[in-house]
Amino acid sequence: MLEIRNVCGGYSGKEVLHGVSLRAEAGRITAVLGPNGCGKSTLLKTICGIVAASSGQITLNGGDLLALPQKQRAQRVSYLAQNRQIPDITVERIILHGRFPYLNYPRRYRAEDRRIARDVMERLKITELAETPLGCLSGGQQQKAYIAMALAQDTDVVLLDEPTTYLDVPYQFQVLRQAGMLAAAGKHVVMVIHDLSRAMETADEVALMKDGGTVIQGTPERVYCSGALDKVFGIKMERIQTGGRWRYFCTEA
Amino acid sequence: MKRLRKNKTKTAYVYAIAILLLLLSIVSGVLFGASGFGASELIRAIGSRNADSPEAVILWYVRIPRVAAGLFCGAALAVSGALIQGVLANRLASPSVIGVNSGAGLAVALCSAAGVAGGPRMSLFAFIGAFAAVMAVSLGAKKWGASRGTVILMGVAMNSLLGAVTDAVAIFAPDAGIMRSDFRIGDFSAVTYTRLLPAAVVIAAALVIACTLANELDVLALGDESAKSLGLNTGTVRTLFLILAAALAGAAVSIAGLLSFVGLLVPHAVRRIASGEARHLIPLSALFGAGFVTLCDTLSRVIFAPYELPVGIIMAFLGAPFFLFILIKGKGGHGNA
């Protein structure tokens, strides 16, 4: 269980998180929702150590994550950044760099690292792209390569910051399916996502944030029924049942 | 799998070409020069026990240190360029563009004006000058959130400032030899073992460390957030790479003066013809940089023999058209780091 308790933090001179609390269970997708600037991305960056927490606790299965050095934390938490650079390296190489937190003297990847990278490529069906430079890929394929890197990192917690932004609809479904695969493999998947409908239909848990704090956390059903989404976003969220599943959609309030 | 094999074969060919170029540059650099001695006389001098013969003196005290200087300076400047481009995430950056060479040049000028003739002290001051310049640009870019283009403009401004100070030093110390074209353009005619050895040790050590940290350079190119999430201490590693880049450029300037262009041209060419991955980029830049500078130096000695041109002129004449050619015709290099 990943537990975040009363965490405050942010950037130099600007505190963004004001006592946020959240729980994410293994084997489940937890979607973090909230208006722009409420601190969703900052929360993910704080969990993985990119942004320092000024107070509060972050624990994984009872162990204090904040006390871990960056390299050890990277062996437990992986993070798919919202802003991704496209360096002049191949798909195979970027996936192999997912093993960077395990790199030791003499600073060379081991046969085991290469095997893990190959397995990930096979799982995501991108083996044929192995030697293709990242810059030659479509946005969706680049996203897949970055997700593969996070998979190769082989951590208990996977943080995805806006993983579907700028992607075509078929790629969005693929990415969300991959998030589901990660959860099915027993990972704690925490995902920041702007598409409320997609989030409500994909996530097992939803945490709603506003002004650097948590408004409510629970199943999509519970959060929907609370009416908190309508209040926080100033919209009207509705749902219909088709094929035995709830489909969510938003309208203007 | 076929593509994978094809790419590995291509990279192997590029390594083979780089090594051939290097060997060709060494052999031609040792055997050809402005003196009247032919290749056969110098080959005889290698086996000769008479160390005082004119052939042996030319061989051991002119040609070999000069070839070694070309190899070390070429490798140093090319790798320095690759590191600076990686750290600043800007392919227009190079030691001569962002003021690193000028920083080292100013330090060398101050040393010359103060009567320091060469050796370890000169190398140390050149490193300090280069490091101060690159850190000023890097920290300034970070503090003011400069875009990639602005970083280059800051470097150009730094270059102008340091160049002006060097000019001022040259005017106040006219006998120090700072205004000589060989220092300004880069030249190996005054290389001695005393000047070469300390700088060569620094360059060799920095090259080994840079090759060891190739994965770190790649991870840094993924961007700060991704790099930190992979456990990389970006601040420390960035500073370490800048120290290495400054040590390489500073040591090269202390040997040969302000050689430009090689730090920009060679990493670009390697990215185009082989790979932008640091594990290949660093060693291939070192090999091609060493071969290119040494070959240019040999040409500078023989084209108008017995007169010599500063090697920087030949490098620009050969390098500029080749650079344009690979930019227009070359494929690959799609990344933005």
Side-chain angles (χ1 to χ4, degrees):
Chain A
M1 167 91 81
L2 174 70
E3 283 188 277
I4 294 128
R5 285 190 222 102
N6 297 317
V7 165
C8 297
Y11 309 93
S12 53
K14 190 189 173 195
E15 192 166 272
V16 178
L17 303 176
H18 309 290
V20 66
S21 295
L22 185 147
R23 286 179 332 280
E25 287 179 41
R28 291 169 78 82
I29 297 177
T30 305
V32 182
L33 307 179
N36 287 334
C38 72
K40 305 183 295 292
S41 295
T42 308
L43 174 63
L44 296 199
K45 289 176 194 172
T46 308
I47 296 170
C48 68
I50 295 171
V51 171
S54 54
S55 65
Q57 269 191 320
I58 301 179
T59 58
L60 176 63
N61 301 327
D64 187 0
L65 272 184
L66 293 177
L68 292 178
Q70 190 67 21
K71 192 176 169 183
Q72 283 183 34
R73 204 188 302 197
Q75 295 176 3
R76 289 164 176 79
V77 182
S78 54
Y79 169 69
L80 179 73
Q82 190 180 347
N83 300 313
R84 291 175 288 276
Q85 302 288 325
I86 309 299
D88 197 5
I89 62 178
T90 61
V91 170
E92 185 187 33
R93 199 70 192 163
I94 193 174
I95 296 171
L96 204 49
H97 286 320
R99 304 298 299 163
F100 186 81
Y102 306 91
L103 197 61
N104 279 314
Y105 184 82
R107 317 302 296 159
R108 293 281 177 270
Y109 292 117
R110 301 159 300 166
E112 187 196 346
D113 298 323
R114 294 178 193 285
R115 183 186 54 73
I116 290 170
R118 269 198 309 275
D119 287 351
V120 168
M121 282 193 284
E122 278 169 23
R123 236 189 301 161
L124 297 187
K125 299 184 174 63
I126 52 173
T127 307
E128 75 281 3
L129 298 177
E131 283 295 303
T132 310
L134 271 188
C136 295
L137 302 178
S138 68
Q141 289 172 322
Q142 288 171 354
Q143 183 78 312
K144 248 185 180 179
Y146 263 95
I147 289 175
M149 183 178 81
L151 248 77
Q153 206 171 332
D154 193 23
T155 52
D156 290 336
V157 179
V158 180
L159 309 174
L160 306 172
D161 197 353
E162 307 270 10
T164 56
T165 307
Y166 307 125
L167 295 183
D168 294 339
V169 175
Y171 271 119
Q172 291 184 19
F173 282 120
Q174 273 190 34
V175 167
L176 294 174
R177 210 167 35 245
Q178 284 151 11
M181 280 164 52
L182 287 169
K187 311 279 186 195
H188 307 69
V189 179
V190 182
M191 177 168 68
V192 165
I193 185 164
H194 268 297
D195 188 330
L196 295 183
S197 311
R198 207 79 81 209
M200 296 294 279
E201 289 164 18
T202 309
D204 302 301
E205 283 272 312
V206 170
L208 183 60
M209 284 182 69
K210 188 185 176 193
D211 300 331
T214 321
V215 176
I216 185 173
Q217 179 175 357
T219 60
E221 169 82 15
R222 180 174 167 240
V223 172
Y224 171 79
C225 292
S226 73
L229 284 167
D230 297 359
K231 280 185 207 151
V232 168
F233 284 98
I235 53 150
K236 179 77 190 141
M237 174 146 266
E238 298 189 72
R239 65 179 181 176
I240 51 170
Q241 200 167 27
T242 57
R245 290 187 61 186
W246 288 111
R247 301 287 173 188
Y248 294 83
F249 59 95
C250 308
T251 57
E252 252 182 322
Chain B
M1 277 322 264
K2 202 180 280 178
R3 181 169 188 161
L4 188 113
R5 217 174 301 128
K6 195 177 156 193
N7 277 345
K8 283 186 175 161
T9 313
K10 184 186 155 196
T11 310
Y13 277 132
V14 176
Y15 271 101
I17 292 168
I19 291 167
L20 278 176
L21 175 73
L22 191 73
L23 292 175
L24 175 72
S25 71
I26 292 171
V27 172
S28 61
V30 170
L31 295 184
F32 304 109
S35 76
F37 297 112
S40 56
E41 289 158 305
L42 286 164
I43 290 168
R44 270 201 304 278
I46 293 172
S48 162
R49 292 189 180 172
N50 182 6
D52 296 330
S53 70
E55 295 94 329
V57 170
I58 290 282
L59 181 71
W60 294 109
Y61 295 99
V62 178
R63 299 275 173 87
I64 287 179
R66 193 163 175 160
V67 166
L71 294 174
F72 278 107
C73 286
L77 289 170
V79 173
S80 178
L83 297 182
I84 289 172
Q85 287 167 16
V87 170
L88 297 182
N90 195 319
R91 291 189 187 172
L92 293 175
S94 80
S96 56
V97 172
I98 68 157
V100 181
N101 279 4
S102 301
L106 173 60
V108 171
L110 288 169
C111 279
S112 302
V116 178
R121 272 190 300 174
M122 180 85 94
S123 294
L124 176 67
F125 282 113
F127 162 70
I128 292 169
F131 184 60
V134 75
M135 283 307 286
V137 172
S138 171
L139 291 177
K142 193 175 175 188
K143 184 171 170 59
W144 293 298
S147 68
R148 292 173 184 198
T150 311
V151 172
I152 297 301
L153 292 175
M154 287 170 71
V156 170
M158 179 66 72
N159 231 344
S160 301
L161 178 67
L162 295 171
V165 179
T166 308
D167 287 342
V169 173
I171 287 166
F172 285 109
D175 298 331
I178 304 155
M179 290 300 278
R180 289 200 330 251
S181 62
D182 55 359
F183 177 78
R184 291 284 192 198
I185 307 171
D187 184 65
F188 295 108
S189 59
V191 167
T192 59
Y193 284 116
T194 317
R195 186 186 279 198
L196 176 63
L197 284 177
V201 170
V202 170
I203 291 169
L207 287 178
V208 170
I209 297 171
C211 285
T212 310
L213 297 178
N215 286 320
E216 275 76 359
L217 192 63
D218 267 355
V219 170
L220 205 56
L222 298 176
D224 260 25
E225 290 184 354
S226 293
K228 282 180 183 170
S229 75
L230 287 167
L232 185 74
N233 187 334
T234 51
T236 306
V237 168
R238 189 170 276 122
T239 306
L240 180 60
F241 278 126
L242 291 179
I243 289 173
L244 288 174
L248 289 166
V253 170
S254 75
I255 296 173
L258 300 176
L259 278 176
S260 61
F261 209 47
V262 63
L264 181 68
L265 182 147
V266 174
H268 264 279
V270 170
R271 278 198 191 90
R272 294 275 167 167
I273 62 175
S275 169
E277 291 174 8
R279 67 190 169 129
H280 297 308
L281 180 66
I282 294 172
L284 281 174
S285 292
L287 290 170
F288 276 113
F292 174 64
V293 170
T294 310
L295 207 55
C296 286
D297 184 48
T298 307
L299 289 174
S300 77
R301 281 183 276 150
V302 298
I303 287 179
F304 297 109
Y307 303 105
E308 281 189 25
L309 285 175
V311 64
I313 292 177
I314 300 292
M315 278 165 55
F317 268 118
L318 286 180
F322 177 68
F323 190 46
L324 288 173
F325 174 76
I326 56 167
L327 283 181
I328 294 164
K329 292 283 180 190
K331 289 180 178 171
H334 301 267
N336 59 0

